[in-house]
Amino acid sequence: MKQTILDLMRMSRICRMVLATCLGSFILVIFYFQIMRRNPFAAEGCCRKGSRNALQELYNPTQAEFSAAAVLHQARRDQVAETCHAHSASSRKRRVLTPSDLKHLVVDEDHELIYCYVPKVACTNWKRVMMVLSGRGKYSNPMEIPSNEAHVPSNLKTLNQYSIPDINHRLKNYLKFLFVREPFERLVSAYRNKFTLRYNTSFHKRYGTKIVRRYRKNATTEALQSGADVKFQEFAEYLVDPGTQREAPLNEHWQTVYSLCHPCHIHYDLVGKYETLEDDANYVLKLVGEGDSLRFPSFAKSTRTTDQMAAMFFSNISSQQQSQLYQLYKLDYLMFNYSIPSYLKLQ
């Protein structure tokens, strides 16, 4: 009997030790997030001896051309930090991030870069560029990489694939960046791409049929089966329906940036903008020493979703839906310093 009790006590101690180890790993991650919020860059111990990496050049530029950009990006970092602080109750609902929250963070080991990709913010071209940077000579021209190949998960390594200690090391020492876009232009771009183009049948089947079934009165059998003609008003109704987020997180193409990249938990060193895409992207490439050999691909401006286009789509939904959509994307507006659109009719 005594032996049994001793065995049980030993097992209990082992269980407590395992639990403490697991909790300690996650606390390490949060400890990093909080320390880096207060002290985003420490020159000591972050870099290889005798060399300056991208982080050092960003925070302590030695080249005159980087000085003005450094001021701009400091202002963008401050804006994110101030918004996170002012809206801490809503921006930090999650106190702990797990590795599964880091699946959007692409890692380039050679240049010590971490890029959080946001769909509909030039992410295809950024993935192409990351494939060139991390390919060790396999690729040289981003535009020679087919777009579908850029989205194959195995072609890029993401941060969630590392151990907790390796995650912490990279978050502390690598340059972390993301690119953002005016939230409603991004939303309308996602709608146009996923619901108005015939070839996106997977989105029509997965989301379109559900949206038509829930929000269209007297829907035809064809519409119910194909889901290929979702109206923007129906899409908006789907997004603001409380039941939508209860059943599953929003799809990455219309999920908020703060939910995809967790900028209130992870200190991003550089926030690029779609509106200044070429300048910001090539600044990143210069920071990592590739500015002379690699340029960020240009894109067809004639097909991009503009403010005028977004205004046209929003004119077809009620002021109540407009207000609800703004509340959904409010943190993205505030965090990345976008003005409330003039066309918006807020209740």
Side-chain angles (χ1 to χ4, degrees):
M1 184 68 177
K2 282 185 178 179
Q3 185 61 41
T4 303
I5 292 171
L6 287 171
D7 289 344
L8 286 171
M9 288 174 67
R10 275 197 295 270
M11 288 176 66
S12 177
R13 282 198 299 272
I14 291 168
C15 289
R16 286 198 299 271
M17 288 170 64
V18 170
L19 179 60
T21 302
C22 293
L23 286 173
S25 296
F26 290 118
I27 288 167
L28 273 174
V29 177
I30 295 308
F31 177 74
Y32 158 76
F33 294 145
Q34 292 173 346
I35 291 296
M36 291 300 281
R37 181 63 59 197
R38 293 194 296 271
N39 181 23
F41 177 69
E44 309 269 341
C46 77
C47 315
R48 290 183 295 273
K49 268 190 174 181
S51 68
R52 285 179 62 82
N53 72 354
L55 269 181
Q56 287 181 314
E57 200 58 56
L58 173 64
Y59 286 99
N60 303 299
T62 56
Q63 299 182 44
E65 63 174 315
F66 289 165
S67 297
V71 173
L72 168 67
H73 289 287
Q74 181 62 57
R76 290 179 181 177
R77 287 192 296 273
D78 290 344
Q79 178 72 25
V80 172
E82 288 165 12
T83 304
C84 291
H85 179 73
H87 299 267
S88 58
S90 53
S91 66
R92 295 198 183 200
K93 287 178 183 175
R94 300 270 311 276
R95 301 303 298 178
V96 175
L97 294 182
T98 64
S100 64
D101 294 309
L102 308 176
K103 61 185 179 183
H104 273 248
L105 278 71
V106 176
V107 181
D108 168 21
E109 295 289 356
D110 292 347
H111 299 86
E112 300 185 343
L113 274 180
I114 295 176
Y115 159 59
C116 184
Y117 72 88
V118 178
K120 308 313 299 176
V121 192
C123 85
T124 301
N125 279 346
W126 259 118
K127 285 182 177 181
R128 285 168 164 151
V129 169
M130 292 296 282
M131 287 173 70
V132 172
L133 290 173
S134 60
R136 301 188 179 186
K138 183 177 179 182
Y139 307 99
S140 58
N141 182 353
M143 294 313 291
E144 290 179 356
I145 302 172
S147 60
N148 62 324
E149 193 173 332
H151 294 291
V152 174
S154 60
N155 283 336
L156 290 165
K157 193 160 187 180
T158 49
L159 196 59
N160 62 306
Q161 298 171 27
Y162 292 81
S163 68
I164 295 289
D166 286 344
I167 288 172
N168 282 339
H169 171 76
R170 282 154 183 78
L171 285 174
K172 182 179 179 182
N173 294 296
Y174 288 15
L175 188 149
K176 301 165 295 298
F177 72 100
L178 75 163
F179 272 71
V180 300
R181 183 178 185 178
E182 202 284 333
F184 286 162
E185 286 183 28
R186 175 176 169 248
L187 179 64
V188 170
S189 177
Y191 165 76
R192 291 177 63 211
N193 181 256
K194 302 306 176 187
F195 294 110
T196 68
L197 300 177
R198 289 188 177 276
Y199 66 79
N200 267 322
T201 54
S202 62
F203 273 81
H204 301 162
K205 286 287 186 184
R206 185 175 179 184
Y207 296 100
T209 53
K210 183 190 300 183
I211 292 171
V212 169
R213 186 172 64 252
R214 288 184 184 176
Y215 308 110
R216 185 178 302 178
K217 294 177 181 177
N218 304 316
T220 64
T221 303
E222 182 184 355
L224 289 167
Q225 289 177 347
S226 69
D229 64 340
V230 170
K231 306 294 186 290
F232 186 71
Q233 182 180 3
E234 296 167 339
F235 179 53
E237 198 168 349
Y238 164 75
L239 290 174
V240 302
D241 185 340
T244 298
Q245 293 207 47
R246 277 201 302 268
E247 64 187 15
L250 294 179
N251 179 273
E252 63 178 12
H253 291 84
W254 45 84
Q255 179 62 282
T256 59
V257 175
Y258 80 82
S259 295
L260 290 176
C261 296
H262 312 287
C264 289
H265 292 83
I266 299 174
H267 175 87
Y268 286 93
D269 304 291
L270 193 148
V271 177
K273 292 200 169 187
Y274 189 75
E275 294 77 15
T276 51
L277 175 61
E278 190 172 343
D279 288 343
D280 292 346
N282 287 316
Y283 175 56
V284 173
L285 295 178
K286 287 178 182 177
L287 284 173
V288 299
E290 298 289 350
D292 293 332
S293 59
L294 183 60
R295 299 288 294 176
F296 193 81
S298 57
F299 62 101
K301 294 185 179 181
S302 60
T303 60
R304 65 164 284 191
T305 299
T306 62
D307 179 68
Q308 291 78 16
M309 228 177 268
M312 181 184 70
F313 280 95
F314 269 74
S315 68
N316 295 321
I317 64 175
S318 68
S319 57
Q320 180 183 6
Q321 284 181 320
Q322 291 186 21
S323 296
Q324 290 172 316
L325 282 174
Y326 178 72
Q327 287 304 315
L328 181 61
Y329 293 93
K330 183 178 179 179
L331 276 179
D332 281 3
Y333 270 100
L334 297 175
M335 205 169 284
F336 305 117
N337 203 27
Y338 286 107
S339 303
I340 299 175
S342 58
Y343 57 78
L344 216 57
K345 300 170 185 171
L346 299 178
Q347 288 189 335

